[in-house]
Structures are given as structure tokens and as C-alpha cells.
Amino acid sequence: SSHVYLHFSFFSGDWGWWAYFFQVDVDENPVIAKAESLTFVPTFKIYKNGHKLKEMLGPSQEALECALKHYSL
């Protein structure tokens, strides 16, 4: 949805110095969706050094920003 794209665009621009952001269309990439156990759209996951630190299902922009600030330390 456009709402998800707005989150993605905002964070890619503001947090691109610290993190990589990937957007996956689960309909076009069912193998990735299954491998990542995606059951809800949008799902945001934060990984650091190969380890998943946080998974957020349908978070607000504020909640995402708070999590990014927390894990960027």
C-alpha cells in the first residue's frame, strides 16, 4: 500500500547512513516470504550482525523510528 511505501521511503532516506532497507513483494517473492515467515503485511525486521533483534507487525512511523534509534546505538 502507499502507506507502507511512505514508511519505507522515509526511513531509507533518514536512516540510510546506518541501515539497509529492503522491500519485498510477498506475492512476487513467495520463497522469501516463506523463508522469513512473513504472515502480516507490513512487517518490519531489524537485524544487526546477522541476528534478528526486532520484528514489528504494522508499526506506526513513530514506533519504527524509536526502534531504529534504540538499535543504532
Short mmCIF file of all heavy atoms in Angstrom, two decimals:
data_model
loop_
_atom_site.label_atom_id
_atom_site.label_comp_id
_atom_site.label_asym_id
_atom_site.label_seq_id
_atom_site.Cartn_x
_atom_site.Cartn_y
_atom_site.Cartn_z
N SER A 1 0.84 -1.19 0.00
CA SER A 1 0.00 0.00 0.00
C SER A 1 0.88 1.24 0.00
O SER A 1 2.06 1.18 0.31
CB SER A 1 -0.95 -0.02 1.19
OG SER A 1 -0.30 0.38 2.37
N SER A 2 0.29 2.37 -0.32
CA SER A 2 1.06 3.62 -0.36
C SER A 2 1.53 4.02 1.03
O SER A 2 2.57 4.64 1.19
CB SER A 2 0.24 4.74 -0.99
OG SER A 2 -0.93 4.98 -0.22
N HIS A 3 0.77 3.65 2.07
CA HIS A 3 1.16 3.95 3.45
C HIS A 3 2.48 3.26 3.79
O HIS A 3 3.37 3.86 4.38
CB HIS A 3 0.04 3.50 4.40
CG HIS A 3 0.31 3.79 5.83
ND1 HIS A 3 0.37 5.06 6.33
CD2 HIS A 3 0.55 2.97 6.87
CE1 HIS A 3 0.63 5.02 7.63
NE2 HIS A 3 0.75 3.75 7.98
N VAL A 4 2.62 2.01 3.40
CA VAL A 4 3.85 1.26 3.64
C VAL A 4 5.00 1.88 2.86
O VAL A 4 6.10 2.05 3.39
CB VAL A 4 3.68 -0.22 3.21
CG1 VAL A 4 5.00 -0.97 3.33
CG2 VAL A 4 2.61 -0.89 4.04
N TYR A 5 4.74 2.27 1.63
CA TYR A 5 5.78 2.88 0.81
C TYR A 5 6.28 4.18 1.43
O TYR A 5 7.47 4.46 1.41
CB TYR A 5 5.27 3.12 -0.61
CG TYR A 5 6.33 3.68 -1.51
CD1 TYR A 5 7.37 2.86 -1.97
CD2 TYR A 5 6.35 5.03 -1.84
CE1 TYR A 5 8.37 3.38 -2.77
CE2 TYR A 5 7.36 5.55 -2.64
CZ TYR A 5 8.36 4.72 -3.09
OH TYR A 5 9.36 5.23 -3.86
N LEU A 6 5.38 4.95 2.04
CA LEU A 6 5.79 6.19 2.70
C LEU A 6 6.74 5.90 3.85
O LEU A 6 7.74 6.58 4.02
CB LEU A 6 4.57 6.98 3.19
CG LEU A 6 3.70 7.59 2.11
CD1 LEU A 6 2.46 8.22 2.73
CD2 LEU A 6 4.46 8.61 1.29
N HIS A 7 6.45 4.89 4.66
CA HIS A 7 7.37 4.48 5.73
C HIS A 7 8.72 4.12 5.14
O HIS A 7 9.75 4.57 5.60
CB HIS A 7 6.85 3.25 6.47
CG HIS A 7 5.81 3.49 7.50
ND1 HIS A 7 5.70 4.63 8.23
CD2 HIS A 7 4.82 2.67 7.94
CE1 HIS A 7 4.71 4.53 9.07
NE2 HIS A 7 4.14 3.35 8.91
N PHE A 8 8.68 3.28 4.13
CA PHE A 8 9.91 2.77 3.52
C PHE A 8 10.75 3.92 2.96
O PHE A 8 11.94 4.00 3.21
CB PHE A 8 9.53 1.78 2.41
CG PHE A 8 10.70 1.02 1.88
CD1 PHE A 8 11.21 -0.06 2.57
CD2 PHE A 8 11.27 1.37 0.68
CE1 PHE A 8 12.28 -0.78 2.08
CE2 PHE A 8 12.35 0.66 0.18
CZ PHE A 8 12.85 -0.42 0.88
N SER A 9 10.12 4.83 2.25
CA SER A 9 10.84 5.98 1.66
C SER A 9 11.43 6.86 2.74
O SER A 9 12.57 7.30 2.65
CB SER A 9 9.89 6.79 0.78
OG SER A 9 9.47 6.03 -0.31
N PHE A 10 10.66 7.13 3.77
CA PHE A 10 11.11 8.00 4.87
C PHE A 10 12.35 7.41 5.54
O PHE A 10 13.36 8.07 5.71
CB PHE A 10 9.99 8.18 5.90
CG PHE A 10 10.42 8.92 7.13
CD1 PHE A 10 10.52 10.30 7.12
CD2 PHE A 10 10.74 8.23 8.29
CE1 PHE A 10 10.93 10.99 8.26
CE2 PHE A 10 11.16 8.91 9.43
CZ PHE A 10 11.25 10.30 9.41
N PHE A 11 12.28 6.14 5.91
CA PHE A 11 13.39 5.54 6.65
C PHE A 11 14.60 5.28 5.77
O PHE A 11 15.72 5.38 6.24
CB PHE A 11 12.93 4.29 7.38
CG PHE A 11 12.05 4.63 8.54
CD1 PHE A 11 10.70 4.37 8.50
CD2 PHE A 11 12.57 5.25 9.65
CE1 PHE A 11 9.89 4.73 9.57
CE2 PHE A 11 11.78 5.62 10.72
CZ PHE A 11 10.42 5.35 10.68
N SER A 12 14.39 4.97 4.52
CA SER A 12 15.53 4.76 3.61
C SER A 12 16.33 6.04 3.50
O SER A 12 17.55 6.01 3.46
CB SER A 12 15.04 4.33 2.23
OG SER A 12 14.46 3.07 2.30
N GLY A 13 15.65 7.18 3.45
CA GLY A 13 16.33 8.47 3.34
C GLY A 13 17.00 8.90 4.62
O GLY A 13 18.18 9.26 4.65
N ASP A 14 16.28 8.84 5.74
CA ASP A 14 16.79 9.34 7.01
C ASP A 14 17.75 8.38 7.71
O ASP A 14 18.58 8.80 8.50
CB ASP A 14 15.63 9.66 7.96
CG ASP A 14 14.97 10.99 7.61
OD1 ASP A 14 15.31 11.58 6.58
OD2 ASP A 14 14.10 11.42 8.38
N TRP A 15 17.60 7.09 7.48
CA TRP A 15 18.42 6.12 8.19
C TRP A 15 19.37 5.36 7.27
O TRP A 15 20.03 4.42 7.71
CB TRP A 15 17.51 5.14 8.93
CG TRP A 15 16.87 5.79 10.10
CD1 TRP A 15 15.67 6.45 10.10
CD2 TRP A 15 17.39 5.91 11.41
NE1 TRP A 15 15.42 6.95 11.35
CE2 TRP A 15 16.44 6.64 12.18
CE3 TRP A 15 18.55 5.47 12.03
CZ2 TRP A 15 16.65 6.93 13.52
CZ3 TRP A 15 18.74 5.76 13.37
CH2 TRP A 15 17.80 6.48 14.09
N GLY A 16 19.46 5.76 6.02
CA GLY A 16 20.31 5.07 5.06
C GLY A 16 21.78 5.03 5.44
O GLY A 16 22.52 4.17 5.02
N TRP A 17 22.21 5.97 6.28
CA TRP A 17 23.61 6.00 6.73
C TRP A 17 23.92 4.86 7.69
O TRP A 17 25.06 4.46 7.85
CB TRP A 17 23.91 7.33 7.42
CG TRP A 17 23.07 7.56 8.65
CD1 TRP A 17 21.83 8.14 8.70
CD2 TRP A 17 23.36 7.17 9.99
NE1 TRP A 17 21.35 8.13 9.98
CE2 TRP A 17 22.27 7.55 10.80
CE3 TRP A 17 24.45 6.53 10.59
CZ2 TRP A 17 22.23 7.31 12.17
CZ3 TRP A 17 24.41 6.30 11.97
CH2 TRP A 17 23.30 6.70 12.73
N TRP A 18 22.90 4.32 8.35
CA TRP A 18 23.10 3.30 9.37
C TRP A 18 22.58 1.93 8.97
O TRP A 18 23.06 0.92 9.45
CB TRP A 18 22.40 3.72 10.66
CG TRP A 18 22.53 2.73 11.77
CD1 TRP A 18 23.62 2.51 12.55
CD2 TRP A 18 21.56 1.76 12.19
NE1 TRP A 18 23.38 1.47 13.44
CE2 TRP A 18 22.12 1.02 13.24
CE3 TRP A 18 20.27 1.46 11.78
CZ2 TRP A 18 21.43 0.00 13.87
CZ3 TRP A 18 19.60 0.45 12.42
CH2 TRP A 18 20.18 -0.27 13.45
N ALA A 19 21.58 1.89 8.11
CA ALA A 19 20.89 0.63 7.83
C ALA A 19 20.57 0.48 6.35
O ALA A 19 20.49 1.46 5.62
CB ALA A 19 19.59 0.59 8.63
N TYR A 20 20.40 -0.76 5.94
CA TYR A 20 19.91 -1.06 4.61
C TYR A 20 18.43 -1.41 4.74
O TYR A 20 18.03 -2.06 5.70
CB TYR A 20 20.63 -2.27 4.01
CG TYR A 20 22.10 -2.03 3.77
CD1 TYR A 20 23.06 -2.57 4.61
CD2 TYR A 20 22.51 -1.27 2.68
CE1 TYR A 20 24.40 -2.35 4.39
CE2 TYR A 20 23.86 -1.06 2.45
CZ TYR A 20 24.79 -1.59 3.30
OH TYR A 20 26.12 -1.37 3.08
N PHE A 21 17.65 -0.97 3.79
CA PHE A 21 16.22 -1.25 3.80
C PHE A 21 15.86 -2.01 2.54
O PHE A 21 16.28 -1.64 1.44
CB PHE A 21 15.43 0.06 3.87
CG PHE A 21 15.61 0.78 5.17
CD1 PHE A 21 16.68 1.64 5.36
CD2 PHE A 21 14.73 0.59 6.21
CE1 PHE A 21 16.87 2.30 6.56
CE2 PHE A 21 14.90 1.23 7.42
CZ PHE A 21 15.98 2.08 7.61
N PHE A 22 15.09 -3.08 2.72
CA PHE A 22 14.65 -3.89 1.60
C PHE A 22 13.14 -4.02 1.64
O PHE A 22 12.57 -4.27 2.70
CB PHE A 22 15.28 -5.29 1.66
CG PHE A 22 16.78 -5.26 1.65
CD1 PHE A 22 17.50 -5.28 2.82
CD2 PHE A 22 17.46 -5.17 0.45
CE1 PHE A 22 18.88 -5.23 2.82
CE2 PHE A 22 18.85 -5.12 0.43
CZ PHE A 22 19.56 -5.16 1.62
N GLN A 23 12.55 -3.87 0.50
CA GLN A 23 11.10 -4.04 0.39
C GLN A 23 10.85 -5.27 -0.47
O GLN A 23 11.39 -5.40 -1.56
CB GLN A 23 10.49 -2.80 -0.26
CG GLN A 23 9.00 -2.84 -0.33
CD GLN A 23 8.43 -1.51 -0.82
OE1 GLN A 23 9.16 -0.59 -1.20
NE2 GLN A 23 7.14 -1.40 -0.79
N VAL A 24 10.03 -6.18 0.05
CA VAL A 24 9.75 -7.43 -0.65
C VAL A 24 8.26 -7.53 -0.93
O VAL A 24 7.44 -7.41 -0.02
CB VAL A 24 10.20 -8.65 0.21
CG1 VAL A 24 9.81 -9.95 -0.46
CG2 VAL A 24 11.69 -8.59 0.47
N ASP A 25 7.91 -7.74 -2.17
CA ASP A 25 6.52 -8.00 -2.54
C ASP A 25 6.30 -9.50 -2.31
O ASP A 25 6.86 -10.33 -3.03
CB ASP A 25 6.29 -7.63 -4.01
CG ASP A 25 4.85 -7.81 -4.43
OD1 ASP A 25 4.22 -8.80 -4.00
OD2 ASP A 25 4.36 -6.97 -5.21
N VAL A 26 5.50 -9.84 -1.30
CA VAL A 26 5.34 -11.25 -0.92
C VAL A 26 4.63 -12.06 -2.00
O VAL A 26 4.82 -13.27 -2.09
CB VAL A 26 4.62 -11.40 0.44
CG1 VAL A 26 5.46 -10.81 1.56
CG2 VAL A 26 3.24 -10.79 0.41
N ASP A 27 3.82 -11.41 -2.82
CA ASP A 27 3.15 -12.12 -3.92
C ASP A 27 4.13 -12.48 -5.03
O ASP A 27 4.01 -13.53 -5.66
CB ASP A 27 2.01 -11.28 -4.49
CG ASP A 27 0.90 -11.08 -3.48
OD1 ASP A 27 0.63 -12.01 -2.68
OD2 ASP A 27 0.29 -9.99 -3.46
N GLU A 28 5.09 -11.61 -5.26
CA GLU A 28 6.08 -11.85 -6.32
C GLU A 28 7.28 -12.66 -5.83
O GLU A 28 8.05 -13.17 -6.64
CB GLU A 28 6.56 -10.52 -6.89
CG GLU A 28 5.49 -9.78 -7.66
CD GLU A 28 6.00 -8.48 -8.25
OE1 GLU A 28 7.23 -8.25 -8.27
OE2 GLU A 28 5.16 -7.68 -8.70
N ASN A 29 7.46 -12.75 -4.51
CA ASN A 29 8.62 -13.44 -3.93
C ASN A 29 8.18 -14.39 -2.81
O ASN A 29 8.58 -14.22 -1.66
CB ASN A 29 9.61 -12.42 -3.39
CG ASN A 29 10.14 -11.51 -4.46
OD1 ASN A 29 10.96 -11.91 -5.27
ND2 ASN A 29 9.63 -10.28 -4.49
N PRO A 30 7.37 -15.40 -3.14
CA PRO A 30 6.87 -16.29 -2.08
C PRO A 30 7.96 -17.08 -1.35
O PRO A 30 7.79 -17.42 -0.18
CB PRO A 30 5.90 -17.22 -2.82
CG PRO A 30 6.34 -17.18 -4.25
CD PRO A 30 6.90 -15.80 -4.45
N VAL A 31 9.08 -17.33 -2.00
CA VAL A 31 10.16 -18.07 -1.35
C VAL A 31 10.75 -17.24 -0.21
O VAL A 31 10.99 -17.75 0.90
CB VAL A 31 11.26 -18.46 -2.38
CG1 VAL A 31 12.47 -19.06 -1.69
CG2 VAL A 31 10.69 -19.42 -3.41
N ILE A 32 10.97 -15.96 -0.46
CA ILE A 32 11.49 -15.07 0.59
C ILE A 32 10.46 -14.92 1.70
O ILE A 32 10.80 -14.97 2.89
CB ILE A 32 11.89 -13.70 0.02
CG1 ILE A 32 13.08 -13.86 -0.93
CG2 ILE A 32 12.21 -12.71 1.14
CD1 ILE A 32 13.44 -12.61 -1.68
N ALA A 33 9.20 -14.75 1.33
CA ALA A 33 8.14 -14.61 2.32
C ALA A 33 8.10 -15.83 3.24
O ALA A 33 7.98 -15.69 4.47
CB ALA A 33 6.80 -14.40 1.63
N LYS A 34 8.23 -17.01 2.67
CA LYS A 34 8.22 -18.24 3.47
C LYS A 34 9.47 -18.34 4.33
O LYS A 34 9.40 -18.67 5.51
CB LYS A 34 8.10 -19.46 2.56
CG LYS A 34 7.97 -20.75 3.33
CD LYS A 34 7.76 -21.93 2.41
CE LYS A 34 7.62 -23.19 3.23
NZ LYS A 34 7.40 -24.37 2.39
N ALA A 35 10.63 -18.05 3.75
CA ALA A 35 11.89 -18.13 4.49
C ALA A 35 11.92 -17.19 5.68
O ALA A 35 12.50 -17.51 6.72
CB ALA A 35 13.07 -17.84 3.56
N GLU A 36 11.28 -16.04 5.53
CA GLU A 36 11.24 -15.04 6.61
C GLU A 36 9.98 -15.15 7.48
O GLU A 36 9.75 -14.33 8.33
CB GLU A 36 11.35 -13.63 6.03
CG GLU A 36 12.74 -13.27 5.56
CD GLU A 36 13.74 -13.19 6.72
OE1 GLU A 36 13.39 -12.72 7.82
OE2 GLU A 36 14.88 -13.61 6.51
N SER A 37 9.16 -16.17 7.21
CA SER A 37 7.91 -16.41 7.97
C SER A 37 7.01 -15.19 8.01
O SER A 37 6.48 -14.82 9.05
CB SER A 37 8.24 -16.87 9.39
OG SER A 37 9.04 -18.02 9.38
N LEU A 38 6.86 -14.55 6.85
CA LEU A 38 6.02 -13.36 6.78
C LEU A 38 4.55 -13.76 6.73
O LEU A 38 4.12 -14.45 5.81
CB LEU A 38 6.39 -12.52 5.55
CG LEU A 38 7.80 -11.96 5.54
CD1 LEU A 38 8.08 -11.23 4.24
CD2 LEU A 38 8.03 -11.06 6.72
N THR A 39 3.81 -13.35 7.73
CA THR A 39 2.38 -13.67 7.81
C THR A 39 1.52 -12.41 7.84
O THR A 39 0.31 -12.50 7.80
CB THR A 39 2.07 -14.50 9.06
OG1 THR A 39 2.47 -13.77 10.23
CG2 THR A 39 2.81 -15.83 9.02
N PHE A 40 2.15 -11.25 7.95
CA PHE A 40 1.43 -9.99 8.05
C PHE A 40 2.16 -8.94 7.23
O PHE A 40 3.39 -8.90 7.22
CB PHE A 40 1.37 -9.54 9.52
CG PHE A 40 0.53 -8.32 9.74
CD1 PHE A 40 -0.83 -8.46 9.95
CD2 PHE A 40 1.08 -7.06 9.75
CE1 PHE A 40 -1.62 -7.35 10.15
CE2 PHE A 40 0.31 -5.94 9.95
CZ PHE A 40 -1.05 -6.08 10.16
N VAL A 41 1.39 -8.12 6.53
CA VAL A 41 1.97 -7.04 5.73
C VAL A 41 1.39 -5.73 6.24
O VAL A 41 0.17 -5.61 6.34
CB VAL A 41 1.65 -7.24 4.23
CG1 VAL A 41 2.14 -6.07 3.41
CG2 VAL A 41 2.25 -8.54 3.71
N PRO A 42 2.23 -4.76 6.60
CA PRO A 42 3.68 -4.77 6.51
C PRO A 42 4.34 -5.36 7.75
O PRO A 42 3.83 -5.24 8.86
CB PRO A 42 4.04 -3.29 6.39
CG PRO A 42 3.00 -2.60 7.22
CD PRO A 42 1.73 -3.42 6.99
N THR A 43 5.46 -6.00 7.54
CA THR A 43 6.31 -6.49 8.62
C THR A 43 7.66 -5.82 8.45
O THR A 43 8.22 -5.79 7.37
CB THR A 43 6.49 -8.02 8.55
OG1 THR A 43 5.22 -8.64 8.72
CG2 THR A 43 7.44 -8.51 9.62
N PHE A 44 8.16 -5.27 9.54
CA PHE A 44 9.50 -4.67 9.53
C PHE A 44 10.36 -5.48 10.48
O PHE A 44 9.95 -5.80 11.60
CB PHE A 44 9.44 -3.21 10.01
CG PHE A 44 8.78 -2.29 9.04
CD1 PHE A 44 7.40 -2.17 9.00
CD2 PHE A 44 9.53 -1.55 8.14
CE1 PHE A 44 6.78 -1.32 8.10
CE2 PHE A 44 8.93 -0.70 7.23
CZ PHE A 44 7.54 -0.59 7.21
N LYS A 45 11.56 -5.82 10.03
CA LYS A 45 12.50 -6.59 10.85
C LYS A 45 13.81 -5.82 10.94
O LYS A 45 14.27 -5.26 9.96
CB LYS A 45 12.76 -7.96 10.23
CG LYS A 45 11.51 -8.83 10.18
CD LYS A 45 11.82 -10.20 9.66
CE LYS A 45 10.56 -11.05 9.61
NZ LYS A 45 10.87 -12.47 9.38
N ILE A 46 14.38 -5.82 12.12
CA ILE A 46 15.67 -5.17 12.35
C ILE A 46 16.69 -6.26 12.67
O ILE A 46 16.50 -7.04 13.60
CB ILE A 46 15.58 -4.15 13.50
CG1 ILE A 46 14.58 -3.04 13.15
CG2 ILE A 46 16.96 -3.56 13.80
CD1 ILE A 46 14.32 -2.06 14.28
N TYR A 47 17.73 -6.30 11.85
CA TYR A 47 18.83 -7.25 12.04
C TYR A 47 20.10 -6.47 12.31
O TYR A 47 20.29 -5.37 11.81
CB TYR A 47 19.06 -8.07 10.76
CG TYR A 47 18.01 -9.10 10.47
CD1 TYR A 47 16.85 -8.77 9.79
CD2 TYR A 47 18.20 -10.42 10.84
CE1 TYR A 47 15.89 -9.73 9.50
CE2 TYR A 47 17.26 -11.40 10.55
CZ TYR A 47 16.10 -11.03 9.88
OH TYR A 47 15.16 -11.99 9.58
N LYS A 48 20.98 -7.06 13.11
CA LYS A 48 22.30 -6.47 13.34
C LYS A 48 23.29 -7.62 13.42
O LYS A 48 23.07 -8.57 14.19
CB LYS A 48 22.31 -5.64 14.62
CG LYS A 48 23.58 -4.83 14.81
CD LYS A 48 23.43 -3.86 15.96
CE LYS A 48 24.60 -2.93 16.04
NZ LYS A 48 24.42 -1.95 17.12
N ASN A 49 24.35 -7.54 12.63
CA ASN A 49 25.38 -8.59 12.60
C ASN A 49 24.77 -9.97 12.33
O ASN A 49 25.18 -10.96 12.93
CB ASN A 49 26.18 -8.59 13.89
CG ASN A 49 26.92 -7.30 14.10
OD1 ASN A 49 27.39 -6.68 13.17
ND2 ASN A 49 27.01 -6.87 15.35
N GLY A 50 23.75 -10.01 11.47
CA GLY A 50 23.13 -11.27 11.09
C GLY A 50 22.11 -11.83 12.06
O GLY A 50 21.56 -12.90 11.84
N HIS A 51 21.83 -11.12 13.13
CA HIS A 51 20.87 -11.59 14.13
C HIS A 51 19.64 -10.69 14.14
O HIS A 51 19.76 -9.46 14.17
CB HIS A 51 21.50 -11.58 15.53
CG HIS A 51 22.64 -12.52 15.65
ND1 HIS A 51 23.94 -12.15 15.40
CD2 HIS A 51 22.68 -13.83 15.95
CE1 HIS A 51 24.73 -13.18 15.57
NE2 HIS A 51 23.99 -14.22 15.91
N LYS A 52 18.47 -11.32 14.14
CA LYS A 52 17.23 -10.53 14.20
C LYS A 52 17.05 -9.99 15.61
O LYS A 52 17.04 -10.73 16.58
CB LYS A 52 16.02 -11.38 13.80
CG LYS A 52 14.73 -10.58 13.80
CD LYS A 52 13.56 -11.32 13.19
CE LYS A 52 13.25 -12.55 13.98
NZ LYS A 52 12.01 -13.22 13.54
N LEU A 53 16.93 -8.67 15.71
CA LEU A 53 16.76 -8.02 17.00
C LEU A 53 15.31 -7.70 17.30
O LEU A 53 14.90 -7.71 18.46
CB LEU A 53 17.57 -6.72 17.05
CG LEU A 53 19.07 -6.85 16.78
CD1 LEU A 53 19.71 -5.47 16.74
CD2 LEU A 53 19.72 -7.73 17.83
N LYS A 54 14.55 -7.38 16.26
CA LYS A 54 13.17 -6.95 16.48
C LYS A 54 12.35 -7.23 15.24
O LYS A 54 12.83 -7.09 14.12
CB LYS A 54 13.13 -5.46 16.80
CG LYS A 54 11.75 -4.93 17.12
CD LYS A 54 11.84 -4.02 18.31
CE LYS A 54 10.47 -3.50 18.70
NZ LYS A 54 9.97 -4.14 19.89
N GLU A 55 11.10 -7.61 15.44
CA GLU A 55 10.14 -7.78 14.37
C GLU A 55 8.90 -6.98 14.75
O GLU A 55 8.40 -7.11 15.87
CB GLU A 55 9.78 -9.25 14.20
CG GLU A 55 8.81 -9.50 13.08
CD GLU A 55 8.66 -10.98 12.78
OE1 GLU A 55 9.67 -11.72 12.84
OE2 GLU A 55 7.53 -11.37 12.48
N MET A 56 8.44 -6.17 13.84
CA MET A 56 7.29 -5.29 14.12
C MET A 56 6.24 -5.50 13.03
O MET A 56 6.53 -5.35 11.86
CB MET A 56 7.75 -3.84 14.16
CG MET A 56 8.87 -3.59 15.15
SD MET A 56 9.56 -1.93 15.04
CE MET A 56 8.29 -1.03 15.90
N LEU A 57 5.03 -5.83 13.46
CA LEU A 57 3.93 -6.04 12.52
C LEU A 57 3.07 -4.78 12.46
O LEU A 57 2.45 -4.39 13.45
CB LEU A 57 3.08 -7.23 12.96
CG LEU A 57 3.83 -8.54 13.19
CD1 LEU A 57 2.89 -9.61 13.66
CD2 LEU A 57 4.55 -8.97 11.94
N GLY A 58 3.07 -4.13 11.31
CA GLY A 58 2.24 -2.94 11.10
C GLY A 58 2.51 -1.79 12.04
O GLY A 58 1.57 -1.14 12.50
N PRO A 59 3.77 -1.49 12.33
CA PRO A 59 4.05 -0.43 13.30
C PRO A 59 3.80 0.95 12.73
O PRO A 59 3.78 1.16 11.52
CB PRO A 59 5.55 -0.61 13.58
CG PRO A 59 6.07 -1.12 12.28
CD PRO A 59 4.98 -2.03 11.75
N SER A 60 3.61 1.89 13.63
CA SER A 60 3.49 3.29 13.22
C SER A 60 4.88 3.81 12.86
O SER A 60 5.90 3.20 13.21
CB SER A 60 2.93 4.12 14.38
OG SER A 60 3.87 4.18 15.44
N GLN A 61 4.92 4.93 12.19
CA GLN A 61 6.20 5.54 11.84
C GLN A 61 6.98 5.88 13.10
O GLN A 61 8.19 5.68 13.17
CB GLN A 61 5.97 6.80 11.00
CG GLN A 61 7.25 7.44 10.52
CD GLN A 61 7.00 8.53 9.50
OE1 GLN A 61 6.15 8.39 8.64
NE2 GLN A 61 7.75 9.60 9.59
N GLU A 62 6.29 6.32 14.13
CA GLU A 62 6.94 6.68 15.39
C GLU A 62 7.57 5.46 16.06
O GLU A 62 8.68 5.52 16.58
CB GLU A 62 5.95 7.35 16.35
CG GLU A 62 5.45 8.70 15.88
CD GLU A 62 4.35 8.61 14.81
OE1 GLU A 62 3.68 7.55 14.68
OE2 GLU A 62 4.16 9.60 14.08
N ALA A 63 6.86 4.33 16.05
CA ALA A 63 7.39 3.11 16.66
C ALA A 63 8.62 2.61 15.91
O ALA A 63 9.60 2.18 16.52
CB ALA A 63 6.31 2.03 16.70
N LEU A 64 8.57 2.70 14.58
CA LEU A 64 9.74 2.31 13.78
C LEU A 64 10.93 3.19 14.08
O LEU A 64 12.05 2.70 14.26
CB LEU A 64 9.41 2.41 12.29
CG LEU A 64 8.73 1.23 11.65
CD1 LEU A 64 8.28 1.60 10.24
CD2 LEU A 64 9.66 0.04 11.60
N GLU A 65 10.70 4.48 14.12
CA GLU A 65 11.80 5.40 14.39
C GLU A 65 12.40 5.16 15.77
O GLU A 65 13.62 5.17 15.94
CB GLU A 65 11.34 6.84 14.24
CG GLU A 65 12.48 7.82 14.28
CD GLU A 65 12.12 9.18 13.73
OE1 GLU A 65 10.92 9.48 13.55
OE2 GLU A 65 13.05 9.96 13.48
N CYS A 66 11.56 4.90 16.75
CA CYS A 66 12.03 4.63 18.11
C CYS A 66 12.89 3.36 18.13
O CYS A 66 13.97 3.34 18.74
CB CYS A 66 10.84 4.47 19.05
SG CYS A 66 11.29 4.18 20.76
N ALA A 67 12.46 2.31 17.44
CA ALA A 67 13.23 1.06 17.38
C ALA A 67 14.56 1.29 16.67
O ALA A 67 15.60 0.78 17.11
CB ALA A 67 12.42 -0.03 16.67
N LEU A 68 14.56 2.03 15.58
CA LEU A 68 15.80 2.30 14.86
C LEU A 68 16.78 3.09 15.73
O LEU A 68 17.97 2.78 15.76
CB LEU A 68 15.52 3.06 13.56
CG LEU A 68 14.92 2.22 12.45
CD1 LEU A 68 14.41 3.12 11.32
CD2 LEU A 68 15.91 1.21 11.93
N LYS A 69 16.28 4.06 16.46
CA LYS A 69 17.14 4.83 17.37
C LYS A 69 17.74 3.92 18.44
O LYS A 69 18.93 3.99 18.74
CB LYS A 69 16.37 5.97 18.01
CG LYS A 69 16.11 7.12 17.07
CD LYS A 69 15.31 8.22 17.76
CE LYS A 69 15.02 9.35 16.79
NZ LYS A 69 14.18 10.39 17.39
N HIS A 70 16.90 3.06 18.99
CA HIS A 70 17.34 2.15 20.06
C HIS A 70 18.45 1.21 19.58
O HIS A 70 19.47 1.05 20.24
CB HIS A 70 16.14 1.35 20.57
CG HIS A 70 16.51 0.31 21.57
ND1 HIS A 70 16.81 0.61 22.88
CD2 HIS A 70 16.65 -1.03 21.45
CE1 HIS A 70 17.11 -0.49 23.52
NE2 HIS A 70 17.02 -1.52 22.67
N TYR A 71 18.24 0.59 18.43
CA TYR A 71 19.19 -0.41 17.94
C TYR A 71 20.38 0.19 17.21
O TYR A 71 21.32 -0.53 16.89
CB TYR A 71 18.48 -1.44 17.07
CG TYR A 71 17.56 -2.31 17.91
CD1 TYR A 71 16.18 -2.21 17.78
CD2 TYR A 71 18.08 -3.22 18.82
CE1 TYR A 71 15.34 -3.01 18.56
CE2 TYR A 71 17.25 -4.01 19.61
CZ TYR A 71 15.89 -3.89 19.47
OH TYR A 71 15.07 -4.66 20.24
N SER A 72 20.37 1.47 16.94
CA SER A 72 21.51 2.08 16.25
C SER A 72 22.62 2.44 17.22
O SER A 72 23.71 2.81 16.81
CB SER A 72 21.08 3.33 15.47
OG SER A 72 20.71 4.37 16.36
N LEU A 73 22.36 2.32 18.49
CA LEU A 73 23.37 2.67 19.50
C LEU A 73 24.43 1.61 19.62
O LEU A 73 24.28 0.48 19.39
CB LEU A 73 22.70 2.89 20.86
CG LEU A 73 21.65 3.98 20.88
CD1 LEU A 73 20.98 4.02 22.24
CD2 LEU A 73 22.25 5.32 20.54
#
